[in-house]
């Protein structure tokens, strides 16, 4: 036990303020570690006025939680800012993948939509679920399924063959309702209009696809002049149109080297 030396008299005072001499002392016994204990206690509980604290660094563990209204000025280092959850008005993220769209995948979660697999795709969404990408061809197909009108144009080059063993065919990515042959670029550079009036006669050269069956039939008018010159049919899925003429390649609209232009409505 540690002891400390003192010189003086020990007195005691009563309630009335009277002092009484007990005995002279030169030594007082003290509890070992008392000063250390008192010093530690002071460090733990001692209070200073805010104006007395003008330098030094606080141990962050000793800083109490403060109401937001207490932080009235100053700049906080970004590294000390927490990641704020979605339900607190934040994003819940510390980084994002550049150029990808952000959407709420759950009530308290933000996610990013993957890049489309086909360039030029458009964003779509159903009545529920996450948004998704659709390519333009798939969008056109979807619009057609929803009752929209679809149009396709194109051309084919004649091969010079004709007859039942050499039919021509056109295939589309939707079911056609009206197939029209518009005209031909001949090998001599001239343009031969096919649809409608030409040189004093009417070349109909169109087929209402609803008239077609999976078996060849006459009376289509696709080869002009007379429906008996041309026979045609459709495929089982109705997306391919076949035709031929027994008279010649010209009547079959398959003259060698000529480029035939068509338009399809579906």
């Amino acid at each position: 036990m540690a002891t400390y030396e003192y010189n003086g008299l020990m007195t005691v005072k009563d309630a009335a303020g009277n002092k009484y001499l007990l005995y002279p002392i030169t030594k007082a016994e003290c509890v070992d570690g008392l000063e250390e204990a008192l010093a530690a206690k002071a460090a733990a509980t001692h209070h200073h006025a805010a104006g007395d604290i003008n330098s030094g660094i606080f141990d962050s563990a000793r800083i109490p939680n403060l109401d937001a209204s207490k932080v009235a000025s100053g700049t906080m280092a970004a590294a000390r800012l927490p990641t704020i959850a979605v339900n607190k008005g934040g994003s819940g993220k510390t980084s994002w993948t550049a150029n990808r769209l952000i959407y709420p995948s759950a009530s308290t979660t933000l996610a990013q939509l993957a890049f489309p697999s086909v360039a030029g795709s458009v964003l779509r969404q159903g009545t529920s679920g996450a948004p998704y990408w659709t390519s333009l061809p798939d969008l056109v197909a979807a619009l057609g399924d929803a009752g929209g009108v679809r149009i396709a144009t194109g051309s084919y080059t004649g091969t010079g063959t004709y007859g039942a063993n050499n039919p021509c065919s056109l295939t589309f990515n939707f079911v056609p309702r009206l197939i029209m042959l518009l005209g031909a670029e001949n090998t001599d550079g001239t343009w031969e209009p096919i649809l409608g009036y030409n040189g004093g006669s009417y070349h109909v050269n169109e087929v209402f696809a609803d008239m077609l069956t999976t078996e060849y039939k006459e009376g289509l008018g696709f080869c002009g002049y007379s429906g008996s010159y041309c026979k045609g049919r459709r495929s089982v899925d109705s997306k391919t149109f076949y035709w031929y003429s027994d008279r010649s390649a010209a009547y079959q609209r398959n003259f060698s080297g000529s480029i035939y232009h068509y338009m399809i409505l579906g």
Side-chain angles (χ1 to χ4, degrees):
M1 179 178 294
T3 59
Y4 302 91
E5 296 293 333
Y6 296 94
N7 292 311
L9 297 176
M10 181 173 287
T11 60
V12 65
K13 184 184 295 185
D14 62 14
N18 300 311
K19 291 184 179 180
Y20 300 91
L21 179 63
L22 296 180
Y23 57 86
I25 60 170
T26 58
K27 181 187 294 184
E29 292 183 346
C30 300
V31 176
D32 191 14
L34 178 60
E35 289 189 358
E36 291 83 353
L38 291 175
K41 183 174 180 60
T45 61
H46 190 65
H47 294 275
H48 286 281
D52 294 335
I53 304 173
N54 51 33
S55 64
I57 299 175
F58 274 111
D59 180 352
S60 60
R62 296 183 64 82
I63 300 175
N65 293 328
L66 296 177
D67 184 88
S69 62
K70 301 297 185 182
V71 184
S73 63
T75 302
M76 184 175 290
R80 299 190 63 82
L81 293 174
T83 300
I84 302 175
V86 173
N87 62 351
K88 299 298 183 182
S91 66
K93 299 285 188 178
T94 58
S95 65
W96 298 100
T97 300
N99 302 319
R100 283 172 49 186
L101 298 181
I102 301 170
Y103 71 99
S105 59
S107 60
T108 58
T109 305
L110 293 179
Q112 287 189 275
L113 191 64
F115 287 115
S117 58
V118 178
S121 295
V122 296
L123 191 63
R124 297 177 62 193
Q125 188 173 25
T127 56
S128 63
Y132 59 93
W133 297 108
T134 296
S135 67
L136 291 180
D138 288 344
L139 178 61
V140 170
L143 291 174
D145 293 339
V149 176
R150 285 175 287 187
I151 301 175
T153 60
S155 64
Y156 66 91
T157 301
T159 61
T161 60
Y162 67 97
N165 293 327
N166 300 287
C168 297
S169 66
L170 293 172
T171 299
F172 315 104
N173 59 5
F174 59 88
V175 176
R177 298 302 179 191
L178 178 62
I179 305 170
M180 296 176 287
L181 202 57
L182 304 178
E185 297 176 62
N186 295 321
T187 55
D188 60 2
T190 60
W191 169 257
E192 178 187 357
I194 295 177
L195 181 66
Y197 183 80
N198 179 29
S201 61
Y202 287 92
H203 296 186
V204 180
N205 293 293
E206 62 185 26
V207 173
F208 288 95
D210 290 342
M211 298 172 55
L212 298 174
T213 68
T214 55
E215 301 294 331
Y216 281 107
K217 62 182 295 188
E218 294 180 346
L220 301 179
F222 193 71
C223 298
Y225 302 104
S226 170
S228 62
Y229 292 173
C230 188
K231 295 181 180 181
R233 72 176 181 88
R234 61 174 173 80
S235 61
V236 174
D237 65 2
S238 298
K239 293 183 178 181
T240 300
F241 171 48
Y242 304 89
W243 75 95
Y244 72 89
S245 173
D246 288 324
R247 296 180 67 88
S248 68
Y251 277 101
Q252 188 168 312
R253 304 304 183 194
N254 197 35
F255 194 82
S256 180
S258 292
I259 301 174
Y260 296 88
H261 296 264
Y262 62 83
M263 181 171 67
I264 312 299
L265 301 180

PDB file of all heavy atoms in Angstrom, residues 150-183:
ATOM      1  N   ARG A 150     -49.069  -4.022 -91.548  1.00  0.00           N
ATOM      2  CA  ARG A 150     -47.646  -4.162 -91.859  1.00  0.00           C
ATOM      3  C   ARG A 150     -47.442  -4.118 -93.367  1.00  0.00           C
ATOM      4  O   ARG A 150     -48.259  -4.651 -94.126  1.00  0.00           O
ATOM      5  CB  ARG A 150     -47.101  -5.468 -91.277  1.00  0.00           C
ATOM      6  CG  ARG A 150     -46.906  -5.397 -89.774  1.00  0.00           C
ATOM      7  CD  ARG A 150     -46.485  -6.732 -89.204  1.00  0.00           C
ATOM      8  NE  ARG A 150     -47.595  -7.671 -89.197  1.00  0.00           N
ATOM      9  CZ  ARG A 150     -47.536  -8.877 -88.620  1.00  0.00           C
ATOM     10  NH1 ARG A 150     -46.426  -9.272 -88.032  1.00  0.00           N
ATOM     11  NH2 ARG A 150     -48.582  -9.671 -88.639  1.00  0.00           N
ATOM     12  N   ILE A 151     -46.353  -3.498 -93.767  1.00  0.00           N
ATOM     13  CA  ILE A 151     -46.023  -3.361 -95.179  1.00  0.00           C
ATOM     14  C   ILE A 151     -44.605  -3.876 -95.407  1.00  0.00           C
ATOM     15  O   ILE A 151     -43.691  -3.569 -94.632  1.00  0.00           O
ATOM     16  CB  ILE A 151     -46.114  -1.893 -95.635  1.00  0.00           C
ATOM     17  CG1 ILE A 151     -47.531  -1.351 -95.411  1.00  0.00           C
ATOM     18  CG2 ILE A 151     -45.723  -1.755 -97.104  1.00  0.00           C
ATOM     19  CD1 ILE A 151     -47.662   0.122 -95.721  1.00  0.00           C
ATOM     20  N   ALA A 152     -44.448  -4.652 -96.443  1.00  0.00           N
ATOM     21  CA  ALA A 152     -43.110  -5.120 -96.834  1.00  0.00           C
ATOM     22  C   ALA A 152     -42.925  -4.841 -98.311  1.00  0.00           C
ATOM     23  O   ALA A 152     -43.860  -4.991 -99.117  1.00  0.00           O
ATOM     24  CB  ALA A 152     -42.960  -6.609 -96.550  1.00  0.00           C
ATOM     25  N   THR A 153     -41.745  -4.396 -98.685  1.00  0.00           N
ATOM     26  CA  THR A 153     -41.404  -4.184-100.086  1.00  0.00           C
ATOM     27  C   THR A 153     -40.100  -4.903-100.383  1.00  0.00           C
ATOM     28  O   THR A 153     -39.289  -5.150 -99.483  1.00  0.00           O
ATOM     29  CB  THR A 153     -41.253  -2.693-100.415  1.00  0.00           C
ATOM     30  OG1 THR A 153     -40.213  -2.135 -99.595  1.00  0.00           O
ATOM     31  CG2 THR A 153     -42.553  -1.929-100.154  1.00  0.00           C
ATOM     32  N   GLY A 154     -39.902  -5.210-101.626  1.00  0.00           N
ATOM     33  CA  GLY A 154     -38.664  -5.888-101.998  1.00  0.00           C
ATOM     34  C   GLY A 154     -38.638  -6.181-103.480  1.00  0.00           C
ATOM     35  O   GLY A 154     -39.458  -5.691-104.261  1.00  0.00           O
ATOM     36  N   SER A 155     -37.676  -7.004-103.879  1.00  0.00           N
ATOM     37  CA  SER A 155     -37.539  -7.358-105.290  1.00  0.00           C
ATOM     38  C   SER A 155     -36.903  -8.728-105.413  1.00  0.00           C
ATOM     39  O   SER A 155     -36.298  -9.240-104.463  1.00  0.00           O
ATOM     40  CB  SER A 155     -36.702  -6.310-106.017  1.00  0.00           C
ATOM     41  OG  SER A 155     -35.375  -6.295-105.505  1.00  0.00           O
ATOM     42  N   TYR A 156     -37.037  -9.326-106.572  1.00  0.00           N
ATOM     43  CA  TYR A 156     -36.344 -10.582-106.875  1.00  0.00           C
ATOM     44  C   TYR A 156     -35.905 -10.510-108.331  1.00  0.00           C
ATOM     45  O   TYR A 156     -36.476  -9.770-109.153  1.00  0.00           O
ATOM     46  CB  TYR A 156     -37.223 -11.801-106.613  1.00  0.00           C
ATOM     47  CG  TYR A 156     -38.423 -11.923-107.525  1.00  0.00           C
ATOM     48  CD1 TYR A 156     -38.341 -12.652-108.730  1.00  0.00           C
ATOM     49  CD2 TYR A 156     -39.634 -11.308-107.216  1.00  0.00           C
ATOM     50  CE1 TYR A 156     -39.435 -12.759-109.580  1.00  0.00           C
ATOM     51  CE2 TYR A 156     -40.723 -11.417-108.058  1.00  0.00           C
ATOM     52  CZ  TYR A 156     -40.625 -12.144-109.231  1.00  0.00           C
ATOM     53  OH  TYR A 156     -41.706 -12.238-110.083  1.00  0.00           O
ATOM     54  N   THR A 157     -34.904 -11.267-108.686  1.00  0.00           N
ATOM     55  CA  THR A 157     -34.367 -11.282-110.051  1.00  0.00           C
ATOM     56  C   THR A 157     -34.803 -12.555-110.764  1.00  0.00           C
ATOM     57  O   THR A 157     -34.655 -13.668-110.220  1.00  0.00           O
ATOM     58  CB  THR A 157     -32.830 -11.197-110.034  1.00  0.00           C
ATOM     59  OG1 THR A 157     -32.435  -9.992-109.373  1.00  0.00           O
ATOM     60  CG2 THR A 157     -32.272 -11.198-111.448  1.00  0.00           C
ATOM     61  N   GLY A 158     -35.374 -12.412-111.938  1.00  0.00           N
ATOM     62  CA  GLY A 158     -35.856 -13.559-112.698  1.00  0.00           C
ATOM     63  C   GLY A 158     -34.736 -14.500-113.110  1.00  0.00           C
ATOM     64  O   GLY A 158     -33.612 -14.074-113.402  1.00  0.00           O
ATOM     65  N   THR A 159     -35.074 -15.785-113.179  1.00  0.00           N
ATOM     66  CA  THR A 159     -34.078 -16.811-113.536  1.00  0.00           C
ATOM     67  C   THR A 159     -34.315 -17.389-114.921  1.00  0.00           C
ATOM     68  O   THR A 159     -33.477 -18.136-115.449  1.00  0.00           O
ATOM     69  CB  THR A 159     -34.107 -17.960-112.510  1.00  0.00           C
ATOM     70  OG1 THR A 159     -35.418 -18.567-112.535  1.00  0.00           O
ATOM     71  CG2 THR A 159     -33.796 -17.448-111.113  1.00  0.00           C
ATOM     72  N   GLY A 160     -35.462 -17.077-115.540  1.00  0.00           N
ATOM     73  CA  GLY A 160     -35.749 -17.582-116.875  1.00  0.00           C
ATOM     74  C   GLY A 160     -36.483 -18.898-116.902  1.00  0.00           C
ATOM     75  O   GLY A 160     -36.837 -19.397-117.985  1.00  0.00           O
ATOM     76  N   THR A 161     -36.727 -19.502-115.757  1.00  0.00           N
ATOM     77  CA  THR A 161     -37.442 -20.780-115.729  1.00  0.00           C
ATOM     78  C   THR A 161     -38.936 -20.538-115.529  1.00  0.00           C
ATOM     79  O   THR A 161     -39.359 -19.463-115.096  1.00  0.00           O
ATOM     80  CB  THR A 161     -36.920 -21.675-114.595  1.00  0.00           C
ATOM     81  OG1 THR A 161     -37.124 -21.011-113.343  1.00  0.00           O
ATOM     82  CG2 THR A 161     -35.442 -21.962-114.770  1.00  0.00           C
ATOM     83  N   TYR A 162     -39.733 -21.571-115.819  1.00  0.00           N
ATOM     84  CA  TYR A 162     -41.176 -21.470-115.621  1.00  0.00           C
ATOM     85  C   TYR A 162     -41.752 -22.881-115.536  1.00  0.00           C
ATOM     86  O   TYR A 162     -41.068 -23.879-115.772  1.00  0.00           O
ATOM     87  CB  TYR A 162     -41.840 -20.671-116.752  1.00  0.00           C
ATOM     88  CG  TYR A 162     -41.803 -21.327-118.116  1.00  0.00           C
ATOM     89  CD1 TYR A 162     -42.890 -22.056-118.585  1.00  0.00           C
ATOM     90  CD2 TYR A 162     -40.675 -21.230-118.934  1.00  0.00           C
ATOM     91  CE1 TYR A 162     -42.859 -22.667-119.824  1.00  0.00           C
ATOM     92  CE2 TYR A 162     -40.634 -21.832-120.160  1.00  0.00           C
ATOM     93  CZ  TYR A 162     -41.740 -22.553-120.617  1.00  0.00           C
ATOM     94  OH  TYR A 162     -41.691 -23.175-121.846  1.00  0.00           O
ATOM     95  N   GLY A 163     -43.044 -22.939-115.246  1.00  0.00           N
ATOM     96  CA  GLY A 163     -43.736 -24.223-115.196  1.00  0.00           C
ATOM     97  C   GLY A 163     -43.867 -24.771-113.786  1.00  0.00           C
ATOM     98  O   GLY A 163     -43.274 -24.266-112.828  1.00  0.00           O
ATOM     99  N   ALA A 164     -44.643 -25.856-113.674  1.00  0.00           N
ATOM    100  CA  ALA A 164     -44.962 -26.447-112.373  1.00  0.00           C
ATOM    101  C   ALA A 164     -43.725 -26.948-111.639  1.00  0.00           C
ATOM    102  O   ALA A 164     -43.696 -26.996-110.410  1.00  0.00           O
ATOM    103  CB  ALA A 164     -45.967 -27.582-112.561  1.00  0.00           C
ATOM    104  N   ASN A 165     -42.688 -27.336-112.393  1.00  0.00           N
ATOM    105  CA  ASN A 165     -41.467 -27.832-111.752  1.00  0.00           C
ATOM    106  C   ASN A 165     -40.492 -26.716-111.389  1.00  0.00           C
ATOM    107  O   ASN A 165     -39.445 -26.979-110.795  1.00  0.00           O
ATOM    108  CB  ASN A 165     -40.759 -28.830-112.682  1.00  0.00           C
ATOM    109  CG  ASN A 165     -41.564 -30.099-112.882  1.00  0.00           C
ATOM    110  OD1 ASN A 165     -42.267 -30.550-111.973  1.00  0.00           O
ATOM    111  ND2 ASN A 165     -41.475 -30.677-114.079  1.00  0.00           N
ATOM    112  N   ASN A 166     -40.820 -25.485-111.758  1.00  0.00           N
ATOM    113  CA  ASN A 166     -39.947 -24.342-111.469  1.00  0.00           C
ATOM    114  C   ASN A 166     -40.749 -23.154-110.932  1.00  0.00           C
ATOM    115  O   ASN A 166     -40.722 -22.055-111.529  1.00  0.00           O
ATOM    116  CB  ASN A 166     -39.198 -23.923-112.737  1.00  0.00           C
ATOM    117  CG  ASN A 166     -38.334 -25.030-113.306  1.00  0.00           C
ATOM    118  OD1 ASN A 166     -37.293 -25.363-112.762  1.00  0.00           O
ATOM    119  ND2 ASN A 166     -38.792 -25.605-114.422  1.00  0.00           N
ATOM    120  N   PRO A 167     -41.471 -23.337-109.856  1.00  0.00           N
ATOM    121  CA  PRO A 167     -42.278 -22.225-109.345  1.00  0.00           C
ATOM    122  C   PRO A 167     -41.408 -21.128-108.729  1.00  0.00           C
ATOM    123  O   PRO A 167     -40.290 -21.378-108.278  1.00  0.00           O
ATOM    124  CB  PRO A 167     -43.153 -22.881-108.274  1.00  0.00           C
ATOM    125  CG  PRO A 167     -42.315 -24.017-107.775  1.00  0.00           C
ATOM    126  CD  PRO A 167     -41.575 -24.530-109.005  1.00  0.00           C
ATOM    127  N   CYS A 168     -41.929 -19.919-108.749  1.00  0.00           N
ATOM    128  CA  CYS A 168     -41.315 -18.825-108.000  1.00  0.00           C
ATOM    129  C   CYS A 168     -41.931 -18.791-106.602  1.00  0.00           C
ATOM    130  O   CYS A 168     -43.020 -19.324-106.385  1.00  0.00           O
ATOM    131  CB  CYS A 168     -41.564 -17.491-108.699  1.00  0.00           C
ATOM    132  SG  CYS A 168     -40.829 -17.349-110.342  1.00  0.00           S
ATOM    133  N   SER A 169     -41.243 -18.124-105.668  1.00  0.00           N
ATOM    134  CA  SER A 169     -41.799 -18.024-104.315  1.00  0.00           C
ATOM    135  C   SER A 169     -41.273 -16.769-103.619  1.00  0.00           C
ATOM    136  O   SER A 169     -40.173 -16.297-103.921  1.00  0.00           O
ATOM    137  CB  SER A 169     -41.449 -19.259-103.481  1.00  0.00           C
ATOM    138  OG  SER A 169     -40.044 -19.333-103.253  1.00  0.00           O
ATOM    139  N   LEU A 170     -42.071 -16.256-102.721  1.00  0.00           N
ATOM    140  CA  LEU A 170     -41.700 -15.142-101.847  1.00  0.00           C
ATOM    141  C   LEU A 170     -42.096 -15.525-100.430  1.00  0.00           C
ATOM    142  O   LEU A 170     -43.211 -16.012-100.204  1.00  0.00           O
ATOM    143  CB  LEU A 170     -42.417 -13.852-102.254  1.00  0.00           C
ATOM    144  CG  LEU A 170     -42.039 -13.229-103.595  1.00  0.00           C
ATOM    145  CD1 LEU A 170     -42.978 -12.069-103.916  1.00  0.00           C
ATOM    146  CD2 LEU A 170     -40.588 -12.756-103.572  1.00  0.00           C
ATOM    147  N   THR A 171     -41.178 -15.282 -99.489  1.00  0.00           N
ATOM    148  CA  THR A 171     -41.442 -15.613 -98.085  1.00  0.00           C
ATOM    149  C   THR A 171     -41.350 -14.343 -97.252  1.00  0.00           C
ATOM    150  O   THR A 171     -40.428 -13.539 -97.426  1.00  0.00           O
ATOM    151  CB  THR A 171     -40.428 -16.645 -97.555  1.00  0.00           C
ATOM    152  OG1 THR A 171     -40.546 -17.842 -98.337  1.00  0.00           O
ATOM    153  CG2 THR A 171     -40.706 -16.981 -96.093  1.00  0.00           C
ATOM    154  N   PHE A 172     -42.289 -14.176 -96.321  1.00  0.00           N
ATOM    155  CA  PHE A 172     -42.361 -12.973 -95.487  1.00  0.00           C
ATOM    156  C   PHE A 172     -42.335 -13.371 -94.012  1.00  0.00           C
ATOM    157  O   PHE A 172     -42.577 -14.525 -93.657  1.00  0.00           O
ATOM    158  CB  PHE A 172     -43.649 -12.202 -95.804  1.00  0.00           C
ATOM    159  CG  PHE A 172     -43.895 -12.077 -97.287  1.00  0.00           C
ATOM    160  CD1 PHE A 172     -44.852 -12.857 -97.917  1.00  0.00           C
ATOM    161  CD2 PHE A 172     -43.138 -11.206 -98.055  1.00  0.00           C
ATOM    162  CE1 PHE A 172     -45.062 -12.754 -99.274  1.00  0.00           C
ATOM    163  CE2 PHE A 172     -43.345 -11.096 -99.419  1.00  0.00           C
ATOM    164  CZ  PHE A 172     -44.312 -11.883-100.034  1.00  0.00           C
ATOM    165  N   ASN A 173     -42.046 -12.381 -93.163  1.00  0.00           N
ATOM    166  CA  ASN A 173     -42.023 -12.673 -91.722  1.00  0.00           C
ATOM    167  C   ASN A 173     -43.368 -12.392 -91.068  1.00  0.00           C
ATOM    168  O   ASN A 173     -43.474 -12.331 -89.853  1.00  0.00           O
ATOM    169  CB  ASN A 173     -40.916 -11.884 -91.016  1.00  0.00           C
ATOM    170  CG  ASN A 173     -41.065 -10.390 -91.179  1.00  0.00           C
ATOM    171  OD1 ASN A 173     -42.045  -9.915 -91.749  1.00  0.00           O
ATOM    172  ND2 ASN A 173     -40.088  -9.644 -90.681  1.00  0.00           N
ATOM    173  N   PHE A 174     -44.399 -12.199 -91.876  1.00  0.00           N
ATOM    174  CA  PHE A 174     -45.765 -12.079 -91.373  1.00  0.00           C
ATOM    175  C   PHE A 174     -46.702 -12.652 -92.442  1.00  0.00           C
ATOM    176  O   PHE A 174     -46.292 -12.889 -93.587  1.00  0.00           O
ATOM    177  CB  PHE A 174     -46.121 -10.622 -91.051  1.00  0.00           C
ATOM    178  CG  PHE A 174     -46.008  -9.677 -92.220  1.00  0.00           C
ATOM    179  CD1 PHE A 174     -47.079  -9.466 -93.084  1.00  0.00           C
ATOM    180  CD2 PHE A 174     -44.824  -8.987 -92.450  1.00  0.00           C
ATOM    181  CE1 PHE A 174     -46.979  -8.593 -94.155  1.00  0.00           C
ATOM    182  CE2 PHE A 174     -44.720  -8.110 -93.521  1.00  0.00           C
ATOM    183  CZ  PHE A 174     -45.791  -7.916 -94.371  1.00  0.00           C
ATOM    184  N   VAL A 175     -47.936 -12.863 -92.083  1.00  0.00           N
ATOM    185  CA  VAL A 175     -48.905 -13.419 -93.025  1.00  0.00           C
ATOM    186  C   VAL A 175     -49.433 -12.304 -93.920  1.00  0.00           C
ATOM    187  O   VAL A 175     -50.037 -11.348 -93.429  1.00  0.00           O
ATOM    188  CB  VAL A 175     -50.071 -14.090 -92.274  1.00  0.00           C
ATOM    189  CG1 VAL A 175     -51.122 -14.587 -93.266  1.00  0.00           C
ATOM    190  CG2 VAL A 175     -49.568 -15.242 -91.414  1.00  0.00           C
ATOM    191  N   PRO A 176     -49.195 -12.375 -95.230  1.00  0.00           N
ATOM    192  CA  PRO A 176     -49.661 -11.307 -96.135  1.00  0.00           C
ATOM    193  C   PRO A 176     -51.167 -11.411 -96.388  1.00  0.00           C
ATOM    194  O   PRO A 176     -51.748 -12.497 -96.373  1.00  0.00           O
ATOM    195  CB  PRO A 176     -48.868 -11.570 -97.412  1.00  0.00           C
ATOM    196  CG  PRO A 176     -48.608 -13.040 -97.397  1.00  0.00           C
ATOM    197  CD  PRO A 176     -48.442 -13.415 -95.945  1.00  0.00           C
ATOM    198  N   ARG A 177     -51.774 -10.245 -96.624  1.00  0.00           N
ATOM    199  CA  ARG A 177     -53.184 -10.201 -97.013  1.00  0.00           C
ATOM    200  C   ARG A 177     -53.336  -9.818 -98.488  1.00  0.00           C
ATOM    201  O   ARG A 177     -54.264 -10.266 -99.148  1.00  0.00           O
ATOM    202  CB  ARG A 177     -53.928  -9.194 -96.134  1.00  0.00           C
ATOM    203  CG  ARG A 177     -53.926  -9.549 -94.660  1.00  0.00           C
ATOM    204  CD  ARG A 177     -54.545 -10.900 -94.406  1.00  0.00           C
ATOM    205  NE  ARG A 177     -54.519 -11.257 -92.991  1.00  0.00           N
ATOM    206  CZ  ARG A 177     -54.808 -12.468 -92.520  1.00  0.00           C
ATOM    207  NH1 ARG A 177     -55.139 -13.442 -93.368  1.00  0.00           N
ATOM    208  NH2 ARG A 177     -54.763 -12.718 -91.229  1.00  0.00           N
ATOM    209  N   LEU A 178     -52.421  -8.976 -98.961  1.00  0.00           N
ATOM    210  CA  LEU A 178     -52.459  -8.560-100.356  1.00  0.00           C
ATOM    211  C   LEU A 178     -51.029  -8.559-100.897  1.00  0.00           C
ATOM    212  O   LEU A 178     -50.137  -7.950-100.308  1.00  0.00           O
ATOM    213  CB  LEU A 178     -53.070  -7.165-100.485  1.00  0.00           C
ATOM    214  CG  LEU A 178     -53.135  -6.575-101.898  1.00  0.00           C
ATOM    215  CD1 LEU A 178     -54.007  -7.436-102.807  1.00  0.00           C
ATOM    216  CD2 LEU A 178     -53.638  -5.146-101.857  1.00  0.00           C
ATOM    217  N   ILE A 179     -50.833  -9.270-102.039  1.00  0.00           N
ATOM    218  CA  ILE A 179     -49.517  -9.367-102.666  1.00  0.00           C
ATOM    219  C   ILE A 179     -49.606  -8.672-104.017  1.00  0.00           C
ATOM    220  O   ILE A 179     -50.424  -9.042-104.864  1.00  0.00           O
ATOM    221  CB  ILE A 179     -49.102 -10.837-102.846  1.00  0.00           C
ATOM    222  CG1 ILE A 179     -49.154 -11.571-101.501  1.00  0.00           C
ATOM    223  CG2 ILE A 179     -47.703 -10.933-103.468  1.00  0.00           C
ATOM    224  CD1 ILE A 179     -49.001 -13.075-101.618  1.00  0.00           C
ATOM    225  N   MET A 180     -48.786  -7.668-104.240  1.00  0.00           N
ATOM    226  CA  MET A 180     -48.843  -6.883-105.475  1.00  0.00           C
ATOM    227  C   MET A 180     -47.485  -6.856-106.153  1.00  0.00           C
ATOM    228  O   MET A 180     -46.480  -6.547-105.523  1.00  0.00           O
ATOM    229  CB  MET A 180     -49.294  -5.446-105.163  1.00  0.00           C
ATOM    230  CG  MET A 180     -50.694  -5.344-104.598  1.00  0.00           C
ATOM    231  SD  MET A 180     -51.137  -3.629-104.133  1.00  0.00           S
ATOM    232  CE  MET A 180     -50.134  -3.449-102.640  1.00  0.00           C
ATOM    233  N   LEU A 181     -47.471  -7.165-107.456  1.00  0.00           N
ATOM    234  CA  LEU A 181     -46.265  -7.046-108.267  1.00  0.00           C
ATOM    235  C   LEU A 181     -46.323  -5.695-108.961  1.00  0.00           C
ATOM    236  O   LEU A 181     -47.228  -5.419-109.755  1.00  0.00           O
ATOM    237  CB  LEU A 181     -46.201  -8.179-109.287  1.00  0.00           C
ATOM    238  CG  LEU A 181     -44.825  -8.533-109.843  1.00  0.00           C
ATOM    239  CD1 LEU A 181     -43.870  -8.899-108.708  1.00  0.00           C
ATOM    240  CD2 LEU A 181     -44.948  -9.693-110.826  1.00  0.00           C
ATOM    241  N   LEU A 182     -45.376  -4.820-108.651  1.00  0.00           N
ATOM    242  CA  LEU A 182     -45.463  -3.420-109.092  1.00  0.00           C
ATOM    243  C   LEU A 182     -44.898  -3.191-110.478  1.00  0.00           C
ATOM    244  O   LEU A 182     -45.455  -2.433-111.278  1.00  0.00           O
ATOM    245  CB  LEU A 182     -44.731  -2.530-108.084  1.00  0.00           C
ATOM    246  CG  LEU A 182     -45.206  -2.631-106.631  1.00  0.00           C
ATOM    247  CD1 LEU A 182     -44.353  -1.737-105.752  1.00  0.00           C
ATOM    248  CD2 LEU A 182     -46.668  -2.260-106.516  1.00  0.00           C
ATOM    249  N   GLY A 183     -43.760  -3.779-110.801  1.00  0.00           N
ATOM    250  CA  GLY A 183     -43.131  -3.537-112.089  1.00  0.00           C
ATOM    251  C   GLY A 183     -41.808  -4.259-112.182  1.00  0.00           C
ATOM    252  O   GLY A 183     -41.362  -4.900-111.226  1.00  0.00           O
TER     253      GLY A 183
END
